[in-house]
Amino acid sequence: MKAVLRQYMASLKERDELDKILPDILSERGHNILSRPTRGFGQYGADVTSVGPHPETGDSCYFVWSIKSGDLTRREWDTGDQGLRTSLNQIRDVHLVKHVPKDCEAKVKVVALCFGGEIRENIRDTVDGYIKDNTILGQREYVVWNGDAISDMTLSGIMNESVFEDEARRQFRKAAAFVDEPDVCERHFYRFATGLLDKPFKTQAERLRALRQVYLGVFAVIAGGRDAENYEAAVRCSELALLIAWDTAKAHAYKPSKASKTIRETLHRLIEAHLLSLDIYIEEHVRPYLGVDEGLASSIPSSNAVDINLALFRALGRVASLGYWSQAIKYLHQNNSKPEVQAALEGSIKQLADDLSKLIEDNAALREPLRDDHAIEIMATCLFLVQAGKAQFVLEWLQQIVEVLLFTLHPNGRHPTIDREYSDLAQHPKGTEEDFKRTTAASVLIPTLIVWFAALRDGASLAKLRDGAQRQIPHCALQLWVPNSNSETHLYRGDAMHGLAWSPFDVSGTIDEIIIRVEAEIKGNADYQALSVIQHHLEPLMVTACLRHRIPLPPQFYANNYFDPPD
């Protein structure tokens, strides 16, 4: 176990990886975290500050942690403003002089050199000499935390052998070893996460420790994805961890207690880990292929049309999901974040909206959904892009989807099917009238498109789709999905059927009449507002759950934001 952790620690980046998990490891070692890493603000070499026991005497000390990634080489030690020596000088000359909290001024100050790897031999004497020259016993002292030390601390704290059960430990090793095989990695990670979280906890401290263990497991998969140059497993495992963790901890995260606050903060860090995995996935697997005709489609290691279609819609949903999360974060922090933070979020949202537009423009298959439940990715994309100011682009894209859809609605056409199994998709279409009626027996896609045409006030496209569907597939049960009283229990795990089919969905009448019917259905459904993610303003988490478990997004998501009031 230690060998796995040591390799993992050495592979972590300084920013957003090692500096994210270190505070949790310190907390388990009895430290009270005073500050965490921030972007854009002067820290004077201090990445993390804490109050904790002296490594030898056990007395309460004030710790300042300066963090670097990988091995400590001569270049990492003394290269300009980013060198560790520069950071240590800033801590000595500025932070310890001007930025120590008043209640810590009388404590011994311990400056901790923290890095995920080892000190290279050609720099060891230099580092030891610096520490000797700057140590004042009882006032300013130094400690070194390398990859071995962090691994030992992790095993004795957050992954204590007596807490981290044998089966969970085995599953963690297997998940970390198979990051280049996403299906295998995900299977073992699921067993790892549920083994830790799906058990009775005697105390909140036990629950918090299990959440932190899962959090660390997510970063192990992200780091492994870098080595394998494949972040598919990272995205899957991070979303899996987030959803299971939320289901486990939601009832304990919003109580007026310090323990609840800490649990809530850990859930927020799991959200950050998932968003990080999405961001890296897009940067490595999507963005390099944008702006090229059929760029992403040609990068998929298969010439099979089914593989290409499924992979493209999967990528579409992930970019849209990250965009929707980013919009929600910007909204939640609009009144309590600095202008530069809001500007950074706005820049990220604009780039994701541009990425998504290019992805659709470049790849023709994104105008030809193979599965009817690709309505989920289409819905998520519309939600994000319309809010990002690209309503006209969305309308033109939906119009193109309708053109292809109506053209393929016959027994020999490659129309959207209700089938989900790969073997069935590979044989689609079979070319018989019987199979055509079976694969088009119901549709969420068509009502989703119709409601969006209503929201965007495009009566001509709405009528074209409605009339074409009634003419070509009169047997099709048009429906939308709404949550019911069982949804809160099963939404995040996807372990049972839940919700209600609003069927038949009446598409007759004018735009305003359709909108009025949708709004009436929404007002009559109280179960949506009862969902924990809605009560705690985490609507993007529902988008994540729906994308993962293939549940249509309910009409409540866009009615209040995108419907113009009837004339």
Side-chain angles (χ1 to χ4, degrees), residues 255 281 431 495 563:
K255 295 179 179 180
Y281 169 88
D495 52 359
F563 284 165

Side-chain angles (χ1 to χ4, degrees), residues 109 112 198 229 290 377 400 465 561:
K109 316 303 186 297
D198 288 354
E229 298 182 344
L290 298 178
E377 283 82 6
Q400 292 167 347
L465 176 57
N561 295 318

Side-chain angles (χ1 to χ4, degrees), residues 478-492:
L478 304 182
Q479 54 191 268
L480 292 175
W481 180 89
V482 292
N484 67 359
S485 58
N486 293 323
S487 294
E488 179 62 24
T489 304
H490 302 295
L491 174 64
Y492 315 108

